[in-house]
């Protein structure tokens, strides 16, 4: 078997972040070097606590650092309508088993990347504030980052406002730094993530696996579905799960290499990801933008992943 890909998980759990992290932790093909929290779905204090509780539940053995308290310029804008007041409502999680390290997220990432013998893949599933802080404060680590597989944006539409997706809308300046960095990006935007759904039948398959982890994840999925059901979705889109699933099974996805710019101004379009899908511009592609997913195989991945903790 080939060597595991070293990754850093940076997110704002968040139901779909927690689901993505479960997939990552289940796979011997990935090695989680560090976990960092971002301000997004809830306050940084809440997403940090949620991150630590998910790490305890899954037994993720890695250092964890708290991220920036707010986006680079914009104020924090939590989303309790989707993720609840805790940011991870709908289940009982264990207490944290460790404390964050005593340094900012960007610093932990820089140290871990510098110490890694193999190039690291960053997997951000919240606003890109910490990743921008890393690239601005430690540009030298870029050479040891092979890719950023992120959830954010959408070249055909938004989800929080018509033109912009939540993660990019919350911190467009950070996204701009990341998309201009020159590091190859895999962009799991709403173009694909809204098709990457788990349905109530899938939740039942996960619960049927049995054990604590399966039950917690079935609870989380059922809670996450309520918001989407109210919008008419037949299931819960596992946005953040795509950023991890693509690393494990890229053949389940179809995408197009193109140049993506971030709109940081705009009356209606702040936070938009402007993808040059028809290659009418002169800029080289900076992102593989995903559009299609084999949904049944995507769902199977999570059912299989949760089986990793069957005896728990
Ligand atoms: C993104 O926004 C958050 O609510 C989710 O966790 C996901 O990262 C989807 O737009
Ligand atoms: Ca997220």
């Amino acid at each position: 078997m080939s060597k595991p890909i070293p990754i850093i998980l940076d997110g704002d759990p968040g139901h779909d972040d927690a689901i993505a992290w479960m997939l990552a932790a289940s796979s011997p093909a990935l090695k989680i070097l560090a976990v960092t929290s971002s301000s997004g779905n809830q306050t940084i204090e809440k997403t940090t606590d949620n991150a630590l509780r998910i790490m305890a539940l899954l037994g993720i053995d890695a250092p964890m650092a708290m991220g920036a308290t707010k986006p680079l310029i914009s104020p924090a804008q939590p989303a309790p309508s989707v993720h609840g007041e805790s940011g991870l409502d709908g289940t009982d999680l264990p207490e944290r088993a460790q404390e964050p390290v005593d340094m900012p997220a960007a610093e932990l990432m820089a140290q871990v990347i510098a110490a890694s013998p193999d190039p690291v893949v960053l997997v951000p599933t919240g606003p890109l504030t910490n990743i921008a802080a890393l690239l601005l404060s430690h540009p030298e680590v870029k050479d040891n980052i092979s890719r950023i597989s992120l959830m954010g944006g959408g070249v055909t539409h938004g989800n929080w406002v018509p033109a912009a997706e939540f993660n990019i809308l919350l911190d467009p300046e950070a996204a701009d730094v990341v998309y201009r960095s020159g590091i190859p990006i895999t962009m799991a935007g709403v173009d694909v993530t809204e098709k990457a759904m788990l349905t109530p039948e899938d939740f039942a398959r996960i619960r049927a696996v049995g054990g604590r982890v399966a039950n917690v994840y079935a609870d989380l999925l059922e809670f996450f579905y309520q918001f989407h059901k109210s919008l008419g979705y037949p299931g819960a889109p596992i946005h953040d799960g795509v950023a991890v699933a693509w690393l494990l099974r890229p053949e389940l996805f179809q995408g197009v290499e193109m140049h993506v710019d971030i709109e940081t101004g705009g009356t209606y379009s702040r936070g938009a990801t402007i993808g040059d899908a028809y290659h009418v511009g002169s800029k080289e592609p900076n992102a593989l933008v995903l559009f299609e997913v084999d949904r049944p195989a995507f769902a199977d991945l999570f059912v299989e992943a949760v089986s990793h903790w069957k005896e728990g």
Side-chain angles (χ1 to χ4, degrees):
M1 205 174 112
S2 52
K3 275 172 103 178
I5 304 169
I7 63 169
I8 295 177
L9 298 170
D10 174 70
D12 57 342
H15 293 70
D16 50 338
D17 304 80
I19 296 163
W21 292 5
M22 183 272 288
L23 180 61
S26 75
S27 174
L30 302 177
K31 179 169 172 47
I32 302 170
L33 299 184
V35 177
T36 54
S37 56
S38 53
S39 157
N41 289 323
Q42 262 301 348
T43 63
I44 192 65
E45 290 77 16
K46 290 182 182 178
T47 61
T48 301
D49 189 50
N50 292 340
L52 290 163
R53 286 168 180 262
I54 290 293
M55 290 175 77
L57 175 73
L58 300 174
I60 296 176
D61 180 18
M64 191 277 163
M66 183 161 105
T69 54
K70 62 175 273 306
L72 294 182
I73 291 177
S74 298
Q77 298 170 64
S81 61
V82 187
H83 301 274
E85 280 306 324
S86 72
L88 213 42
D89 277 11
T91 194
D92 288 323
L93 292 169
E95 294 296 324
R96 54 170 84 181
Q98 68 188 85
E99 292 301 314
V101 295
D102 190 16
M103 67 182 87
E107 191 59 37
L108 175 63
M109 286 193 256
Q111 290 187 11
V112 162
I113 294 164
S116 175
D118 297 309
V120 176
V121 175
L122 305 183
V123 188
T125 54
L128 291 163
T129 318
N130 297 328
I131 309 298
L134 167 71
L135 299 177
L136 292 171
S137 62
H138 290 279
E140 73 283 357
V141 299
K142 270 190 208 174
D143 291 345
N144 206 29
I145 300 172
S146 56
R147 181 165 286 272
I148 301 177
S149 181
L150 63 84
M151 191 283 137
V155 302
T156 53
H157 62 288
N159 68 351
W160 210 243
V161 295
E165 179 277 332
F166 181 81
N167 288 340
I168 306 294
L169 177 70
L170 258 68
D171 200 341
E173 285 74 21
D176 190 40
V177 170
V178 171
Y179 276 76
R180 286 173 189 273
S181 68
I183 300 168
I185 292 171
T186 298
M187 175 174 152
V190 288
D191 313 295
V192 65
T193 65
E194 287 183 344
K195 300 170 187 167
M197 248 181 277
L198 264 61
T199 64
E201 291 72 34
D202 300 318
F203 314 162
R205 288 199 295 153
I206 285 174
R207 198 177 290 286
V209 167
R212 184 174 193 192
V213 171
N215 275 312
V216 164
Y217 275 92
D219 291 347
L220 289 173
L221 282 159
E222 282 161 10
F223 182 93
F224 196 45
Y225 177 45
Q226 293 315 308
F227 170 80
H228 296 95
K229 191 177 175 185
S230 73
L231 298 178
Y233 285 67
I238 311 303
H239 303 285
D240 296 339
V242 176
V244 173
W246 180 82
L247 288 173
L248 295 173
R249 298 285 303 279
E251 73 279 8
L252 301 184
F253 300 92
Q254 287 173 33
V256 179
E257 296 274 356
M258 66 180 78
H259 189 88
V260 177
D261 279 319
I262 306 297
E263 178 60 86
T264 55
T267 304
Y268 304 108
S269 55
R270 179 167 158 78
T273 42
I274 311 294
D276 185 8
Y278 295 97
H279 306 287
V280 295
S282 55
K283 297 178 186 164
E284 288 297 310
N286 59 354
L288 170 64
V289 179
L290 303 181
F291 286 98
E292 299 297 335
V293 56
D294 177 342
R295 194 212 73 83
F298 178 79
D300 288 349
L301 269 185
F302 293 88
V303 180
E304 285 157 21
V306 94
S307 305
H308 181 77
W309 292 271
K310 200 171 175 168
E311 305 307 322

